[in-house]
Amino acid sequence: MNAVKSYAKHVEIGEVMTGGTVGQVVESGNTKFKAGDYVVGSLGWQLYAVSSGEALAVVDPKLVPLTAYLGVCGMPGGTAWIGLLEHCAPKVGETVLVSAATGAVGGVVGQLAKLQGCRAVGIAGGPKKCEFAVKELGFDACVDYKARKLVDDLKAACPNGVDNYFENVGGEVLDAAFKVLNPFSRVALCGLIAEYNATEPYGVKMFRSLLVNRVKLQGFIVFDRVDLYQRAIPPLAKLVSQGKIKYHETIAEGLQNAPKAFIGLLKGQNLGKQLVKLT
Ligand SMILES: NC(=O)c1ccc[n+]([C@@H]2O[C@H](COP(=O)([O-])OP(=O)(O)OC[C@H]3O[C@@H](n4cnc5c(N)ncnc54)[C@H](OP(=O)(O)O)[C@@H]3O)[C@@H](O)[C@H]2O)c1
């Protein structure tokens, strides 16, 4: 939201708050859409929007539930797919570690890692989230960073070290993960949620690990690779409809509760994709 240099345009005061949306066309002057169609796009925190249709896509609510197009079969799922399969490219038998493991992106990363024949290990906040990652999402292990012994717990959960690290959090979590990387491991730098509200940069302490281990680190933004994103969604929807990828959603009711839900996400109060049902 801040007016600082970033990959996305900041939100101006008085402007509609940015946000991915799924909804129904009420009226259309664009021949690609007709009234009644369901569409996904980025129309922000508002009940109705006017769009040229340029960045909207029609979605099929019979394939997967509409909400899934905002999560597992939408931008977060596509992010997981690109970061893991394109940037990490894990091999069978390797260990994949992911932070914010029960979140919208992290939950898909762990399950894709399992489908690739890897050991999937998560990092999440609190025993309930860790249990969810293992019992519901099928991770091999999940480590609670709030237990304050992250490095030791990571060593126990990753006895062969970490070959692929999918980073969603930053800060102390990232430094702990850098301590367990294997030589020639890959890091997909997806997000730094622990640092978004910080007034001072955290300052990575274990940077040296990247050199010592000859690590390949790639920062990425999902929409830089629209080609891959578009290719990822159909297989993700198929895996979800077959029950091979599971997902959870936390749904706040009403536009008036959107700010509270957003602040809750920054405190880890969501499990899976945080959504707001506007009406
Ligand atoms: N590069 C891209 O194109 C791209 C696209 C989508 C998302 N992202 C990024 O990917 C990350 C995950 O996004 P998401 O939509 O899947 O969100 P999410 O994981 O559903 O929700 C955020 C989670 O982050 C964790 N968290 C929040 N504050 C934290 C802190 N201070 N320290 C440690 N963990 C904290 C919380 O989980 P715990 O309770 O487990 O701590 C919270 O539930 C974010 O950093 C987001 O900005 C990047």
Side-chain angles (χ1 to χ4, degrees):
M1 292 166 68
N2 294 355
V4 291
K5 187 173 183 289
S6 182
Y7 55 84
K9 186 185 159 290
H10 68 270
V11 181
E12 296 285 357
I13 291 172
E15 218 177 22
V16 174
M17 177 67 177
T18 307
T21 44
V22 69
Q24 197 168 24
V25 176
V26 179
E27 199 181 296
S28 176
N30 181 328
T31 51
K32 286 190 196 148
F33 307 92
K34 58 181 186 314
D37 280 351
Y38 290 99
V39 289
V40 68
S42 189
L43 298 181
W45 295 13
Q46 54 186 341
L47 303 185
Y48 293 91
V50 177
S51 164
S52 67
E54 198 185 335
L56 291 183
V58 175
V59 291
D60 179 3
K62 289 191 216 89
L63 182 58
V64 293
L66 270 185
T67 53
Y69 291 105
L70 291 175
V72 59
C73 302
M75 185 276 284
T79 303
W81 183 285
I82 293 169
L84 184 70
L85 303 183
E86 178 74 7
H87 296 311
C88 289
K91 299 180 194 74
V92 175
E94 286 189 339
T95 296
V96 173
L97 177 67
V98 55
S99 55
T102 61
V105 176
V108 180
V109 171
Q111 294 181 82
L112 286 176
K114 288 302 296 173
L115 289 168
Q116 293 294 111
C118 296
R119 176 173 175 79
V121 178
I123 302 174
K128 272 198 187 148
K129 284 194 176 181
C130 287
E131 187 179 315
F132 176 82
V134 173
K135 290 204 176 141
E136 299 296 326
L137 302 180
F139 281 66
D140 294 289
C142 186
V143 171
D144 174 8
Y145 71 89
K146 290 185 177 166
R148 309 299 311 164
K149 47 186 181 58
L150 187 52
V151 176
D152 287 345
D153 288 347
L154 283 176
K155 283 182 182 162
C158 309
N160 299 322
V162 170
D163 307 293
N164 307 272
Y165 180 45
F166 193 108
E167 176 60 313
N168 285 317
V169 164
E172 289 175 8
V173 169
L174 176 142
D175 262 330
F178 276 6
K179 285 191 180 168
V180 292
L181 292 179
N182 282 337
F184 302 102
S185 49
R186 283 82 63 200
V187 177
L189 180 54
C190 173
L192 296 167
I193 197 163
E195 302 183 35
Y196 292 159
N197 282 332
T199 44
E200 291 293 320
Y202 166 75
V204 182
K205 296 180 184 66
M206 287 307 300
F207 199 65
R208 171 193 157 95
S209 169
L210 301 185
L211 172 64
V212 174
N213 292 308
R214 288 82 97 203
V215 174
K216 188 171 119 185
L217 182 149
Q218 178 72 54
F220 74 100
I221 299 298
V222 55
F223 292 122
D224 289 341
R225 296 302 307 271
V226 177
D227 57 328
L228 283 180
Y229 178 75
Q230 285 171 344
R231 259 190 275 152
I233 300 307
L236 280 170
K238 191 170 176 197
L239 287 165
V240 170
S241 66
Q242 292 170 335
K244 291 182 183 162
I245 288 191
K246 297 187 182 138
Y247 65 100
H248 189 86
E249 295 163 340
T250 301
I251 305 180
E253 291 287 332
L255 179 57
Q256 70 280 9
N257 284 316
K260 199 169 145 209
F262 182 46
I263 293 165
L265 175 123
L266 296 169
K267 293 180 180 163
Q269 286 166 1
N270 64 311
L271 179 63
K273 177 68 186 175
Q274 176 68 58
L275 298 167
V276 180
K277 189 168 186 295
L278 295 174
T279 53

